[in-house]
Amino acid sequence: MQLNFDADVEEFRAEFRAFLDENLPSEAQAAERAGSSADIPQWAREWQRLQFDNGWLLPGNPPEFGGRNAGILEQYVHLEELSKRRIYHSFNPQGLGIIAASLLSFGTEEQKKQWAAPILRAEITAALGMSEPGAGSDLASLRTRADRDGDHFVVNGQKVWTSGAHDADVILTFVRTDPDAPKHQGISVLMIPTDSPGLVRRPFASICADDDLDFNEVFFTDVKVPAENLIGELNKGWSVATGSLGHERNLLWLSFADRLQDLMADFHPATDIDRDHYATLVMDHQALRLLGSAALARAARGEQDVAALSILKLLGSEAVQRSSEEALIAAGPQGLVHPALTSAYNPMDNEAFSSSWFERYARSFAGTIAGGTSEIQRTIVAERVLGLPRS
């Protein structure tokens, strides 16, 4: 396996590094955190817009949407360099990685101008309205309903776990438009402004006590949505759903590799796990990198391997969770103490020092749920790799 890149990819990397060297926000700016995943501080809006204007926001996009038509290998080194600098390219990740990407794939030219470009330029922020109280992993069971009434839809129902909804300007919302169709059919997608009458957002806390509010319940009561806000075809929303999650999963494994790298670097005498567990952590990190590199090479050749992405998601998310748990156990009662209460605390250090070992372990469960649960990933591997019958 060749684990280096051709000269043109390294030239791309060097150009991006030069841009970062010249324009990277200060440490003081980067230390300022957003209140939610749809709350962008002013400095971060300016940083995102600067990347957009220079084609560095999402290099795989065309220039008019913040990119430079880069290939998958260039997109990989772009994310790798951002990770090395410990800087986000956006504080509205679902807006960039899922919602704007879905608009570029399924939206009309007018919708791209109206919503995709402003989201990418950090002029507005977006949330994703998928999950419901009875439709989490089984998204096709959603019951939020949209009935056509002349030139608009009337929406009634509820969403939950809608990250950043209370700060977002719009919600990409999955609704049922044909209740008599089979559950994977009859679904449509609407872009709904959050200031629409009848739309109520209720943020709620996560398990991590020091978290700002991000999760939301969203209630729709006779919310009128213009018919031109329909994204994609009527009753064909399942293809938008699978496409939306596909955008999220493509290089998701890299974020887990980065978190494993952080864990390897963050152990210290107060939270030192035993050598066997540390060796497992190192091997998991190396395996994830190697398997990810192989999947990356296949993607660069135009090959699609959904099962490989499921294996990477499963390996990465569960390795992070397992290692975080082992670190918490090794730390004992000290693992419950926030680092700010210890002499080792440095607010300019990486994310590891912004939360206790317990909080890091608690957050690890999000990785085994978001982007497709571990159970769903195992089903995909069983059917597509092992050839087992459909459950």
Side-chain angles (χ1 to χ4, degrees):
M1 180 187 293
Q2 178 184 339
L3 290 178
N4 55 352
F5 296 98
D6 293 335
D8 57 339
V9 178
E10 290 300 341
E11 183 179 343
F12 178 93
R13 185 199 299 272
E15 185 180 353
F16 184 46
R17 280 178 174 171
F19 171 81
L20 291 176
D21 288 341
E22 184 175 351
N23 297 289
L24 202 66
S26 68
E27 285 189 341
Q29 288 175 319
E32 181 185 356
R33 296 302 179 190
S36 80
S37 57
D39 172 36
I40 307 181
Q42 184 56 39
W43 74 266
R45 290 182 185 268
E46 296 169 1
W47 164 238
Q48 183 171 323
R49 196 168 301 126
L50 180 66
Q51 294 172 85
F52 179 98
D53 292 340
N54 288 273
W56 290 119
L57 182 63
L58 292 171
N61 284 1
E64 62 269 27
F65 294 109
R68 46 185 64 201
N69 292 316
I72 188 69
L73 297 181
E74 286 86 358
Q75 294 174 54
Y76 172 84
V77 300
H78 170 261
L79 291 177
E80 193 174 47
E81 291 303 317
L82 285 172
S83 175
K84 289 178 182 177
R85 306 295 182 108
R86 296 193 176 278
I87 188 72
Y88 299 115
H89 56 322
S90 173
F91 279 76
N92 183 212
Q94 70 272 15
L96 260 66
I98 300 177
I99 298 163
S102 297
L103 287 166
L104 295 183
S105 296
F106 299 97
T108 64
E109 292 305 313
E110 180 57 35
Q111 289 170 343
K112 294 175 187 178
K113 293 177 184 177
Q114 183 178 1
W115 292 306
I119 290 170
L120 293 167
R121 288 180 55 81
E123 294 166 356
I124 63 174
T125 59
L128 182 64
M130 277 189 166
S131 297
E132 299 183 4
S137 297
D138 185 14
L139 176 64
S141 295
L142 67 86
R143 292 188 293 177
T144 295
R145 183 163 172 168
D147 297 306
R148 185 68 181 262
D149 184 7
D151 61 356
H152 60 269
F153 290 93
V154 179
V155 180
N156 285 278
Q158 178 188 357
K159 297 293 179 180
V160 72
W161 312 113
T162 313
S163 298
H166 62 297
D167 288 318
D169 299 293
V170 292
I171 302 177
L172 187 72
T173 310
F174 288 75
V175 295
R176 188 161 295 284
T177 44
D178 185 354
D180 298 322
K183 73 176 190 177
H184 286 85
Q185 301 174 28
I187 295 172
S188 300
V189 185
L190 297 173
M191 185 67 85
I192 305 180
T194 55
D195 60 359
S196 301
L199 191 157
V200 176
R201 298 163 284 172
R202 295 180 184 170
F204 59 91
S206 72
I207 194 172
C208 300
D210 71 335
D211 264 0
D212 291 310
L213 296 178
D214 193 31
F215 291 140
N216 279 252
E217 295 177 294
V218 183
F219 299 90
F220 304 89
T221 304
D222 294 332
V223 177
K224 292 185 177 181
V225 182
E228 61 262 29
N229 289 24
L230 176 69
I231 309 300
E233 297 181 54
L234 183 69
N235 296 326
K236 301 293 184 182
W238 189 250
S239 61
V240 181
T242 54
S244 299
L245 294 177
H247 291 305
E248 183 185 27
R249 290 172 181 162
N250 200 22
L251 287 172
L252 185 60
W253 65 269
L254 181 58
S255 67
F256 292 119
D258 289 339
R259 291 173 70 182
L260 289 174
Q261 182 74 50
D262 287 343
L263 284 166
M264 290 163 57
D266 293 338
F267 292 127
H268 52 77
T271 58
D272 211 3
I273 60 176
D274 64 53
R275 285 185 292 181
D276 284 345
H277 286 151
Y278 187 80
T280 299
L281 168 60
V282 172
M283 289 187 290
D284 283 342
H285 176 261
Q286 185 73 352
L288 187 61
R289 282 281 183 180
L290 292 173
L291 290 170
S293 296
L296 186 68
R298 287 192 292 273
R301 294 194 296 267
E303 302 171 14
Q304 291 205 351
D305 192 343
V306 175
L309 296 180
S310 291
I311 291 171
L312 288 166
K313 166 69 164 57
L314 192 61
L315 169 62
S317 63
E318 295 197 349
V320 168
Q321 187 174 101
R322 183 170 55 251
S323 296
S324 300
E325 181 181 21
E326 288 161 356
L328 173 61
I329 292 171
Q334 193 67 19
L336 303 175
V337 178
H338 192 283
L341 301 176
T342 70
S343 60
Y345 179 66
N346 180 354
M348 286 305 187
D349 280 336
N350 65 34
E351 184 185 358
F353 290 97
S354 68
S355 54
S356 69
W357 281 108
F358 168 75
E359 290 158 348
R360 296 177 75 183
Y361 171 59
R363 288 195 186 102
S364 74
F365 284 85
T368 59
I369 298 172
T373 65
S374 289
E375 291 78 8
I376 294 295
Q377 306 308 326
R378 283 187 166 85
T379 297
I380 293 172
V381 172
E383 294 174 359
R384 301 196 184 189
V385 178
L386 301 179
L388 297 177
R390 292 179 62 86
S391 58

